[in-house]
Amino acid sequence: MKRILSIDGGGIKGVFPAAILKHMEEQLPNPISRYFDLIVGTSTGGIIALALGLGLSGREIVSFYEIHGPRIFIPKKKGLFSGLVHKASFGYSDMIFDTKYEANLLKSALAETFEGLRIGDSHNRLVIPSFNIQTGSVHIFKTRHHERFEKDWRVPAVEAGLATSAAPIYFDTFRTASGVPLVDGGVFANNPVGLAVVEAIGVLGWKPEEIQVLSLGCTHEAYHANLEKPNLGYKDWGPQGLTELFMRAQDSASLGTAMLLAGHPIHNNVYRLSKEAPPKLYTLDGVNRIDLLKSLAADVAREEIAKLRKLGFFDQPAEAFVPIPMPNVKEGVAG
């Protein structure tokens, strides 16, 4: 059996899946990353995936959010003009004139956490999506788990973390050493479970009947649209409404893709774990809700770990991941 872990994007709401993993890990004889053959994560989920692959425990990942979250999500200071418009634009001007937060604060937090490690140092197969805004195409960081993947193993984990979490209007576009402009993988795969199953079946060649998928969300709200009005214009939707519309569509499509490819109706092998929350209780940058997210995760983990055991997620550790060696390449040589 090949087990796959997929983790959604969601900003500071990444505390929720991180804390679920922490509580489950405390009930297991091995680090929780040892039970998965492939880990896929987007944005905050990408940071968690990198951390798991590089050997951090669930407790250490939760501590990352507790310590660095309030330091990262400090709004940039607005100038006089921006401040005046801010009052007249209901809080959106801090993202109209500039990104809301300093990417360097996130970079410092990741550098302190990953300490010079590279994607190639991961003990798990990893898939970390981002998006190239110059070419309009996906840019996905991967470990060396296929002979075609020749370069990403050299990429510093910090860079992959910055790229996958460079949410437009929140953080600056991340630029690689060669100048490639990358933004948050959440623009196409905020829920990356479909991408995870495509990787498992299409790239790794695993059979649907031999995979088991755990998809972790970052909480969600009940979806609502104004169905009483026949024609909905921009004023009706608003920026937040349109963003939510696109995100919900991607989430549904991704989960549906995963279930279809994995043969879920037959094999019952895609398990989605999230939690509905009251409207606007949890936000991408709501650091004041970290403790609430932790307590919610503790309750969910308590309810779900027995179910996951029954499904076979924690029967035994996965086989050790051995990266495919690069022919005639020295480990220390930069590419």
Side-chain angles (χ1 to χ4, degrees):
M1 183 65 67
K2 301 293 186 182
R3 285 157 291 180
I4 302 166
L5 175 62
S6 172
I7 312 169
D8 286 14
I12 199 64
K13 294 190 294 179
V15 169
F16 178 71
I20 285 177
L21 293 170
K22 167 189 172 292
H23 287 290
M24 290 185 175
E25 186 174 65
E26 290 173 349
Q27 305 303 315
L28 299 170
N30 298 287
I32 197 159
S33 61
R34 291 277 310 279
Y35 294 91
F36 293 96
D37 299 275
L38 172 66
I39 303 178
V40 182
T42 298
S43 194
T44 196
I47 291 173
I48 295 171
L50 286 162
L52 289 169
L54 295 173
L56 274 70
S57 67
R59 181 178 296 275
E60 289 171 319
I61 298 171
V62 171
S63 293
F64 169 85
Y65 285 99
E66 292 174 321
I67 295 169
H68 296 290
R71 300 174 184 175
I72 293 168
F73 290 106
I74 300 175
K76 293 180 179 179
K77 293 182 179 179
K78 296 181 290 291
L80 176 60
F81 178 66
S82 175
L84 291 173
V85 178
H86 175 81
K87 294 180 180 179
S89 60
F90 307 101
Y92 288 106
S93 73
D94 49 357
M95 294 183 284
I96 290 174
F97 293 94
D98 194 2
T99 52
K100 191 171 184 180
Y101 300 107
E102 291 283 359
N104 281 336
L105 297 176
L106 175 58
K107 182 179 181 180
S108 296
L110 293 175
E112 181 179 324
T113 302
F114 294 148
E115 298 180 334
L117 295 173
R118 302 172 300 174
I119 291 176
D121 294 313
S122 173
H123 302 289
N124 296 82
R125 298 173 185 85
L126 297 179
V127 173
I128 312 293
S130 63
F131 188 78
N132 185 329
I133 60 172
Q134 180 176 23
T135 62
S137 58
V138 301
H139 186 109
I140 305 176
F141 297 95
K142 300 181 182 183
T143 46
R144 177 109 171 112
H145 55 259
H146 191 281
E147 61 185 11
R148 290 190 290 108
F149 307 152
E150 295 191 4
K151 290 187 176 181
D152 289 352
W153 64 274
R154 309 169 190 255
V155 175
V158 170
E159 292 188 11
L162 287 170
T164 193
S165 58
I169 74 178
Y170 283 91
F171 291 108
D172 296 343
T173 298
F174 174 75
R175 294 183 183 273
T176 68
S178 57
V180 177
L182 303 175
V183 298
D184 196 320
V187 300
F188 76 96
N190 194 63
N191 176 349
V193 67
L195 191 67
V197 176
V198 167
E199 189 76 12
I201 295 174
V203 176
L204 291 165
W206 298 343
K207 297 178 181 179
E209 61 269 23
E210 68 180 17
I211 65 174
Q212 196 79 7
V213 186
L214 174 59
S215 172
L216 297 181
C218 292
T219 75
H220 61 276
E221 299 176 7
Y223 183 67
H224 171 75
N226 185 359
L227 301 179
E228 297 180 356
K229 188 172 181 180
N231 299 311
L232 299 176
Y234 182 80
K235 182 178 179 182
D236 301 298
W237 286 108
Q240 290 182 327
L242 287 172
T243 299
E244 180 66 10
L245 174 68
F246 297 142
M247 287 294 189
R248 287 305 180 102
Q250 187 278 321
D251 176 71
S252 178
S254 182
L255 185 59
T257 297
M259 289 182 168
L260 178 64
L261 292 178
H264 174 74
I266 300 172
H267 307 300
N268 190 32
N269 57 350
V270 179
Y271 195 82
R272 175 70 172 168
L273 182 52
S274 187
K275 191 73 172 179
E276 186 174 310
K280 300 181 180 180
L281 178 62
Y282 303 120
T283 60
L284 295 176
D285 51 1
V287 294
N288 58 321
R289 303 290 194 222
I290 289 176
D291 286 341
L292 274 180
L293 285 164
K294 287 165 52 183
S295 64
L296 180 65
D299 190 52
V300 170
R302 177 175 175 271
E303 294 177 359
E304 297 291 340
I305 189 167
K307 299 176 186 177
L308 294 175
R309 285 187 191 277
K310 189 174 181 180
L311 290 170
F313 278 101
F314 307 125
D315 285 351
Q316 59 186 12
E319 293 182 8
F321 166 50
V322 180
I324 296 174
M326 284 290 297
N328 303 318
V329 175
K330 295 180 180 180
E331 279 284 320
V333 177

